[in-house]
Every structure is written in structure tokens, then in C-alpha cells.
Amino acid sequence: MSEPNDATFDIVILGGGSGGYATALRAAQLGLSVALVEKGKLGGTCLHNGCIPTKALLHAAEIADQTRESEQFGVKAELVGIDMAAVNSYKDGVVSRLYKGLQGLVTGNKAITFVAGAGKLVAPNAVEVDGKRYTGRNIVLASGSYAKSLPGLEVDGERVITSDHALVLDRVPSSAIVLGGGVIGVEFASVWKSFGVDVTIIEALPRLVAAEDEESSKALERAFRKRKINFKVGKPFEKVEKTDSGVKVTIAGGETVEAELLLVAVGRGPNTANLGYEEQGVKMDRGYVLTDERLRTNVPNVYAVGDIVPGLQLAHRGFQQGIFVAEQIAGQNPAVIDEAGIPRVTYCDPELASVGLTEAKAKEQYGTDKIKTYNYNLGGNGKSQILKTTGFVKLVRVEDGPVVGVHMVGARVGELIGEAQLIYNWEAYPGEVAQLVHAHPTQNEALGEAHLALAGKPLHAHA
């Protein structure tokens, strides 16, 4: 849409990632005029440097493993090698198609003015782009995140890289050290191992994916040991040195690890520097924008969504927050988003998926004696046997109350999280879920069986 002369809008949005573009599309549906400012490409981190390209790599990695292991299914195949140029072409094709679709949705919408360029908040109701001011009755800050490093750790894009560089690598390294055992770290470690790389993960916290339930962490660590993915937990990073063949990393206790590459996967930081937020009085904490539960900042009519708001840095969280803010501004009074009800998936092999509270958090919140858990082993599930995967579905419930946490480990369990988040968000009791019919043979049955057992009627499970 072409810009109106007065350049005043119902909403001016700074950032066109998952949170920003969702705000724009929903606001336009609700009859509001929108200016959407983006300095890079629409779709932000998720589409271009995060969810989509990494999951494409993980799918290529899965194909590599299936080819390598095909004989156990009676299929004779040989893995000749990984053609990184072709893998990248496949990955970039997926991103490109989604990007074109999103561009069409946004730029073809008459209610949305798309402004390409770097924006800055220059007044509590205005964003400036290339010397032009866009005034909004409401402002939505959605400036996203960047790949973090650690103090004294210089990223050179060649031997010491971030996930941004890892996504465009034109070769398969012989060996790699992954600094950080969170979601990004374990996903890249998983991809690289499948591609034939010798991988070592270094994590300062006592376990991999430490934000997940402890049993999920343990299951992943067992699976990684079996896959010969090396990891050292409870070992803070001390320094990195360049060597003739790559890098040498020193960790707590003086131990050293050498490899061709070091991937710095210590998380993502809020992209808020030099954007004028603090100058306009927006309350911040360590670079994050502080909001109330309705995503309002302390400045009237200024909202924030996505990775710059403390909490889970997930595309689907930002997307939902964008919809919420558009409805809030339109006076619809939407229901507050329960952060614990946002599904979480780690797409390594095996996958981890969870929603709600971990066992430890549930005990903290409700009291140890009020919490019951049930662990259903995927070994008893027909489809899991067919896929030759192992893992579990773990339920956390309040005694005589609802299920408050679902934690799953195994191939493809990310696809089960949809039903799991309904169970949590609708505060379902095990007996209510036990009444539902789950198709056979599916891994989805494992959710049904776990609830049957927790409802006191285990069939394929021991009580």
C-alpha cells in the first residue's frame, strides 16, 4: 500500500518478525491502519536464521541417518556423502517459498503500509525511518533478537561462529565444539553428528537442555551417548585459542578440547540497542523490554512482543503475542496468554517436546505431596516399535486435579504437542483424556495410554 500523506496510523510496528507481522495482519483484519517497519527481510529470525532453516537441516540429517541405517528395515542403501551445496539449496528453497508467501500477504494488504528500512523510536508515539516520521496512536516494539556471544569470546565467522554462520556453511567440518547445551546447541550437534562430524558439546549448567524436565534431559543425554555425541556438562568455558587446524577451547579445571570449528550457541539476546527505547522512557532490564501481562510497557500505548519480552524465545510465542496485542488495541480484551501453556519443542534426534510445568516446578508450586507423575515408555507403543524409537511420555498432575505438565522424548514427538497443549490449557483431568479415542497405530496413542494409566486403568502399562 502507498503511504498516506500524514503518515499517522492506528499502529506503528517496529520489526517484521513473527511478532511484528502477526500484529500487522491481525490488526488489518480488525480494521486498523498499520505501518510495519523492517530493516531486513519479513519473517525475522524464525524464517531466515532460526526455526525454518534449522529444521530443514535437521530433516536432511534425518534422511542421512535413515540411509545409513536402512538395512535394519530390509532396505539396501548406501550413504555416499553429504553435498552441502545441495543441502543449502534445498533449505534456501523452503525459506524462499515461505518468504514470498509472507511478502504477498503483507504487501498485498491495503491496510498495511510496509516500510523497508531501519527504524528508531523517536517519540512515545513515533518511529523514524530514513528521516521520515511515522506516527502511531499505538506503538508495538517487535525488534527481535540476535545470536549472543560471551565476554572475551570473539566471533570471527570462520573458526568461531554463531548459528547464523552455521546455517550457511558450505562444507561439513571434520570436527566441531558446540558451546552451549540448550536448544540451539543440541540441534546443531544433532545435525552435524548425522552429517558425520565429530561433535563435543560444552555446557556450564549441570545438564543438557536444563530448562526441560530432568528426566527429559537424562533421556537425551543417554541417546546422545549412544549416538557418540560427546558432551561435558557443569563445565564453564574459560578461553578459546586458534590453532593451525582450528580452535582449542579451555574449560573449567583446565581441560582442553580441540576441533576445526567452535559454534557459540549460548542463546539469543534482545535486539534493543540504539533503537531509542530507553530515551523515550521505556522501562528495560538487561536489554529486555518490561511489560505487564497484557504486554503493555510503562509508556502509555506502547506495547512489546516476541524475543525482546522476558520469557521463552519462541516464534509461536511472538506470533500469539502479536495477535493478542492487535486484539487488545482493537478493544477486544483477549484472554491473557499463559506462558507455561506455550508448547516447547527441541528438534534434535531424539526430539523433546513439553508443555506446562516440569515435575520440580509443579512440586514447588503445589507441594511435593500433591503431585503425581506417570511415565509411559514408548517401547510399548506399536508405531514407536515400527519407527525403532525409544523414549517416553511423562505426565505431571495435581492429585485429584488436572494434568499440569506433559513431557515427551522420542522420534516425532513434536507432532504430539498439539494435543498435549490442549490437555494442559483446558486443565483436563486424566480421566477426561482417557475417554478420548486415539487412532491405532500412532505414537499419539502413547498420550492416551499414559492418561489411562494415570486415571487408574492401565491397559498396556504396568500400574
Side-chain angles (χ1 to χ4, degrees):
M1 174 187 166
S2 62
E3 293 173 21
N5 294 330
D6 63 355
T8 296
F9 303 85
D10 292 320
I11 308 179
V12 176
I13 304 161
L14 188 52
S18 304
Y21 84 70
T23 308
L25 291 171
R26 183 67 182 122
Q29 274 180 352
L30 294 168
L32 302 174
S33 62
V34 178
L36 178 60
V37 178
E38 173 53 58
K39 68 176 180 183
K41 288 180 169 177
L42 268 174
T45 295
C46 168
L47 181 49
H48 301 285
N49 311 93
C51 329
I52 299 299
T54 52
K55 282 20 155 202
L57 286 183
L58 281 153
H59 184 60
E62 186 184 356
I63 301 292
D65 286 333
Q66 285 178 345
T67 308
R68 200 181 276 119
E69 297 157 10
S70 65
E71 209 153 317
Q72 62 179 313
F73 301 99
V75 177
K76 292 192 173 180
E78 190 184 345
L79 182 64
V80 179
I82 305 294
D83 178 350
M84 267 324 284
V87 170
N88 284 331
S89 172
Y90 148 69
K91 163 181 67 72
D92 296 342
V94 174
V95 172
S96 176
R97 285 189 296 278
L98 290 169
Y99 175 53
K100 279 180 186 152
L102 178 58
Q103 261 187 317
L105 266 178
V106 171
T107 57
N109 194 309
K110 290 186 168 62
I112 300 172
T113 299
F114 180 64
V115 184
K120 184 173 181 177
L121 191 67
V122 292
N125 66 342
V127 170
E128 194 170 283
V129 186
D130 298 329
K132 178 155 190 189
R133 195 175 269 236
Y134 298 83
T135 304
R137 294 175 189 89
N138 299 275
I139 301 285
V140 177
L141 309 176
S143 46
S145 60
Y146 65 93
K148 273 199 310 196
S149 185
L150 291 175
L153 182 53
E154 191 189 326
V155 173
D156 62 12
E158 288 173 13
R159 292 189 195 180
V160 181
I161 63 173
T162 66
S163 55
D164 293 348
H165 304 112
L167 284 170
V168 293
L169 267 187
D170 58 0
R171 69 190 193 285
V172 178
S174 60
S175 57
I177 299 164
V178 176
L179 184 58
V183 174
I184 298 168
V186 299
E187 287 188 349
F188 273 103
S190 187
V191 166
W192 280 341
K193 185 64 186 179
S194 299
F195 285 175
V197 181
D198 181 16
V199 183
T200 303
I201 302 170
I202 293 166
E203 171 56 62
L205 292 171
R207 53 192 171 94
L208 297 180
V209 287
E212 293 293 335
D213 190 84
E214 196 168 342
E215 282 190 73
S216 297
S217 287
K218 282 179 180 164
L220 182 67
E221 288 177 359
R222 277 195 302 274
F224 272 18
R225 277 190 205 100
K226 205 170 172 187
R227 291 185 63 195
K228 296 187 166 52
I229 295 174
N230 308 307
F231 56 90
K232 297 173 185 297
V233 293
K235 299 281 186 182
F237 162 87
E238 287 189 351
K239 65 175 177 173
V240 61
E241 300 159 88
K242 306 274 173 72
T243 65
D244 292 342
S245 56
V247 290
K248 180 163 82 169
V249 171
T250 306
I251 56 178
E255 191 181 346
T256 61
V257 186
E258 295 194 44
E260 186 184 325
L261 280 181
L262 170 63
L263 170 66
V264 182
V266 292
R268 297 186 69 84
N271 192 15
T272 55
N274 307 315
L275 294 178
Y277 296 177
E278 278 187 296
E279 293 91 316
Q280 299 309 321
V282 175
K283 209 168 182 184
M284 316 272 286
D285 179 28
R286 290 167 302 157
Y288 289 95
V289 177
L290 301 178
T291 71
D292 65 8
E293 61 179 7
R294 304 201 79 81
L295 301 171
R296 297 174 291 212
T297 70
N298 60 306
V299 178
N301 302 318
V302 176
Y303 299 79
V305 299
D307 288 356
I308 62 171
V309 179
L312 297 166
Q313 290 180 316
L314 297 170
H316 45 283
R317 171 183 180 251
F319 185 82
Q320 194 64 30
Q321 287 180 336
I323 294 169
F324 176 93
V325 161
E327 293 178 352
Q328 171 79 12
I329 290 168
Q332 294 204 336
N333 196 30
V336 169
I337 299 165
D338 175 5
E339 290 269 321
I342 298 170
R344 310 172 289 270
V345 186
T346 305
Y347 295 86
C348 53
D349 176 26
E351 284 186 0
L352 275 70
S354 63
V355 67
L357 306 178
T358 62
E359 182 180 344
K361 280 261 166 65
K363 285 177 174 174
E364 201 179 293
Q365 195 166 316
Y366 294 97
T368 304
D369 55 337
K370 288 276 190 293
I371 292 298
K372 282 182 79 174
T373 66
Y374 183 79
N375 206 313
Y376 179 83
N377 191 323
L378 281 184
N381 174 262
K383 188 62 184 280
S384 296
Q385 286 277 345
I386 290 164
L387 294 173
K388 293 206 170 194
T389 189
T390 56
F392 59 77
V393 172
K394 175 179 176 176
L395 304 180
V396 180
R397 81 167 293 191
V398 178
E399 197 168 3
D400 300 324
V403 173
V404 294
V406 182
H407 305 275
M408 299 179 280
V409 179
R412 305 184 187 180
V413 293
E415 299 299 329
L416 305 185
I417 202 65
E419 183 182 356
Q421 68 129 344
L422 290 177
I423 291 164
Y424 170 83
N425 283 298
W426 283 344
E427 299 176 359
Y429 281 53
E432 293 171 322
V433 182
Q435 293 171 34
L436 303 175
V437 180
H438 293 80
H440 176 75
T442 61
Q443 284 180 294
N444 191 231
E445 281 179 285
L447 260 177
E449 295 272 2
H451 284 85
L452 272 166
L454 203 48
K457 37 187 175 182
L459 297 185
H460 289 111
H462 300 289

